[in-house]
Amino acid sequence: MGTIWTPDLTVFSGPKYQRLVSAIEQGILQKDLPHGCKLPPQRRLADALGITIGTVTRAYALAEQRGYVEARIGDGTYVNASPVPELGHAQLNMATCQQPLTDQISTLSDCLSQLAKDPAKLSQLLGYRANPLDQHQQIFHQWLYQRGIEQSVEQLVFTHGGQQAIFACLNALLSKGDVLLHEQYSYPGVRICAKQLGINSIGVPLTTEGLELARFEALVQIHQPRLVYLTLNNQNPTCIQYSDEQRLKLLELAQQYQFYIIEDDVNYCLPEEWHTPLWQLAKDLDIPRVIYISSLSKLFSGGLRQGFMLVPEALIAPIRLAIHSQCWMVSPLNVEIACLLIKKGQITANRDAIVRQRQNLCIAMGQRLGLTQRWRGLNGWLQLPEDLKAHHLVTALAAKGVLIRNGDDFNCHDNFIRLSLGGAENEAQFQHALDCIESTFQTLMQNAYSVV
């Protein structure tokens, strides 16, 4: 290296040696530390960063343990390989909602290493268990309470992701031929669940405040549903957040017509975007008509299939039975990993800043293209001009290796696309994807005008 590599450790969390390991990992991902390059001598790096040589030594040893680097006796420490496979000409996925990859690999590695050193805990986790471990429920209970979500430990039900939670609710509380009301444009997984169970799913039109309430109440009167599925905090795919007035009215209607609201709060929001769930308002007003569903998949990574529900007491037994009918038990090993991440405070780590930056870049692109758009969390919902059809843009981008979602996937046929900003592994790759989207849009628009 021409100049000594000096990462900014303040953007990472945890002890200094762990921050340095995360910086090494990020440097390799972003090609600042290419394969085969030599890391700075430990004393020089310690002086440059203002930390002890022991901290650098410990970090280098942990990085070697994870396979990122190789220590050569008498010659120094060299970058061994990228911590994730090279993408090469693989597709860049802006169709799937996922967190940017930052320090998840190192954080998960730390959790697994910690667990590997506790044989008593491993022995406890490897057995069959009809009920979750008390310590797991306590950790989630306290974590939710700190976020302003009150519940009893007994109301907390673990699942293998949010999708299983949805299926369990429908399976437990509805029968074949019953009606499920949901948002007109909605997460496809809920319609899949309904179809599998022979349940009639009916969409309710949306406004910028939430549901079109007059139409919703009319449908409730006609069909008398027992369940209504809603994504109030970050509506998927439109990125609408329900207003306070809507939330209050929905609870009043739930009490009046005796239906339950499945509140799906899986979709990630930045802290400043997040709204205390309807579950809490229902608790404050003593209207126990909300089932709250969430997951760590959109907070940490999609592969961590740790979902959970908060369930009114009257529904705990049938919903637990429905989950038991789908899997003998929810893996305590998986829940333990989730609990370790919670205790470390590493669920979202430093990714919020990256999401904000990427949101701003996407918004600027949409403004340059003159698009109507709405962004929240990891997703954006953009309407294309009439001259450019969504499926043409989706197809053209796929041919260039950039995947986005057509609004048709969410039962919306008004020429929308959904972009998710977490798929790129670094900021250069993300900017390349945006440049590709913008140039492809402009080319297709020019072609459309030339045809006219």
Side-chain angles (χ1 to χ4, degrees):
M1 296 182 196
T3 58
I4 185 171
W5 174 72
T6 51
D8 180 5
L9 300 187
T10 63
V11 300
F12 304 100
S13 57
K16 290 180 181 178
Y17 81 95
Q18 290 183 348
R19 296 185 190 187
L20 181 51
V21 175
S22 295
I24 292 171
E25 177 188 303
Q26 187 181 78
I28 296 171
L29 282 170
Q30 297 183 354
K31 307 300 187 294
D32 295 328
L33 296 173
H35 173 67
C37 84
K38 185 177 181 179
L39 292 182
Q42 295 177 21
R43 186 172 299 280
R44 286 188 62 198
L45 185 58
D47 291 342
L49 296 176
I51 58 179
T52 67
I53 189 172
T55 298
V56 178
T57 300
R58 188 176 182 186
Y60 278 19
L62 182 56
E64 183 176 27
Q65 177 185 326
R66 293 177 179 170
Y68 301 165
V69 300
E70 175 189 4
R72 301 175 187 173
I73 297 175
D75 192 22
T77 303
Y78 289 80
V79 173
N80 188 30
S82 173
V84 293
E86 295 291 336
L87 284 181
H89 297 291
Q91 293 171 321
L92 200 162
N93 190 346
M94 297 186 74
T96 302
C97 181
Q98 57 188 322
Q99 280 283 346
L101 184 64
T102 57
D103 61 351
Q104 290 97 320
I105 294 171
S106 58
T107 301
L108 182 58
S109 178
D110 288 343
C111 290
L112 294 174
S113 296
Q114 178 181 338
L115 188 56
K117 297 172 184 175
D118 192 343
K121 175 62 69 65
L122 286 172
S123 176
Q124 184 185 38
L125 297 173
L126 290 178
Y128 283 108
R129 296 191 175 276
N131 297 309
L133 293 168
D134 290 342
Q135 63 263 35
H136 290 164
Q137 288 189 297
Q138 284 294 336
I139 289 170
F140 267 81
H141 166 71
Q142 293 169 8
W143 175 60
L144 289 169
Y145 203 90
Q146 290 167 0
R147 300 177 68 200
I149 306 174
E150 298 175 14
Q151 26 57 63
S152 68
V153 171
E154 293 73 21
Q155 291 178 305
L156 177 62
V157 178
F158 292 125
T159 63
H160 287 297
Q163 181 71 19
Q164 188 190 35
I166 295 169
F167 190 87
C169 289
L170 271 57
N171 192 21
L173 304 177
L174 299 181
S175 300
K176 186 174 182 179
D178 285 349
V179 168
L180 171 73
L181 296 185
H182 58 79
E183 295 134 338
Q184 181 179 14
Y185 311 143
S186 63
Y187 165 57
V190 71
R191 299 197 303 273
I192 293 172
C193 288
K195 184 177 181 180
Q196 182 71 18
L197 292 168
I199 294 165
N200 298 318
S201 60
I202 298 176
V204 183
L206 285 163
T207 72
T208 56
E209 298 289 313
L211 294 181
E212 189 178 304
L213 287 175
R215 179 61 177 157
F216 173 64
E217 186 170 6
L219 288 170
V220 168
Q221 291 171 343
I222 293 169
H223 298 288
Q224 300 180 9
R226 193 179 184 196
L227 283 180
V228 175
Y229 170 87
L230 303 173
T231 49
L232 294 93
N233 237 352
N234 187 0
Q235 203 281 325
N236 187 18
T238 67
C239 300
I240 291 167
Q241 188 172 77
Y242 282 49
S243 67
D244 291 338
E245 293 77 12
Q246 274 261 339
R247 293 163 186 260
L248 184 59
K249 182 61 176 179
L250 286 168
L251 285 179
E252 292 173 354
L253 292 172
Q255 186 175 45
Q256 179 181 351
Y257 294 103
Q258 293 294 290
F259 60 80
Y260 287 96
I261 297 170
I262 300 176
E263 178 184 16
D264 188 341
D265 197 22
V266 165
N267 288 323
Y268 162 86
C269 293
L270 287 166
E272 62 269 23
E273 298 171 338
W274 192 72
H275 192 296
T276 303
L278 187 68
W279 165 275
Q280 186 59 45
L281 180 59
K283 188 172 184 63
D284 293 341
L285 297 175
D286 194 23
I287 304 176
R289 309 300 301 184
V290 177
I291 304 167
Y292 179 75
I293 294 176
S294 193
S295 166
L296 301 189
S297 297
K298 301 296 191 297
L299 295 176
F300 185 78
S301 70
L304 184 65
R305 306 305 302 157
Q306 188 54 61
F308 57 92
M309 288 190 283
L310 302 179
V311 182
E313 291 180 7
L315 304 182
I316 293 174
I319 286 179
R320 284 191 181 278
L321 184 62
I323 293 173
H324 190 59
S325 72
Q326 298 160 33
C327 62
W328 190 254
M329 64 179 191
V330 175
S331 166
L333 180 59
N334 202 72
V335 183
E336 174 68 20
I337 293 171
C339 288
L340 289 173
L341 291 170
I342 289 173
K343 288 194 294 184
K344 281 179 172 291
Q346 292 292 96
I347 295 295
T348 56
N350 66 315
R351 291 182 289 280
D352 289 345
I354 295 173
V355 173
R356 288 188 192 95
Q357 179 185 7
R358 292 187 180 185
Q359 264 193 11
N360 289 334
L361 290 171
C362 289
I363 291 169
M365 178 193 70
Q367 290 173 341
R368 289 193 298 272
L369 298 177
L371 303 181
T372 300
Q373 59 183 335
R374 184 186 294 111
W375 287 86
R376 194 178 306 279
L378 300 168
N379 290 335
W381 184 240
L382 301 88
Q383 187 169 32
L384 301 182
E386 188 176 318
D387 299 302
L388 175 57
K389 301 307 177 187
H391 67 273
H392 289 157
L393 181 60
V394 171
T395 302
L397 286 172
K400 297 179 179 180
V402 177
L403 304 182
I404 65 173
R405 294 294 292 268
N406 192 329
D408 289 351
D409 297 341
F410 303 94
N411 206 33
C412 174
H413 309 298
D414 294 328
N415 214 30
F416 279 86
I417 58 171
R418 195 194 76 176
L419 297 182
S420 297
L421 51 74
E425 76 174 34
N426 56 54
E427 301 320 295
Q429 191 181 75
F430 181 75
Q431 186 61 59
H432 171 74
L434 290 190
D435 292 343
C436 184
I437 292 171
E438 188 166 357
S439 63
T440 303
F441 174 95
Q442 291 170 336
T443 299
L444 290 175
M445 284 296 294
Q446 290 169 0
N447 290 342
Y449 291 140
S450 66
V451 169
V452 173

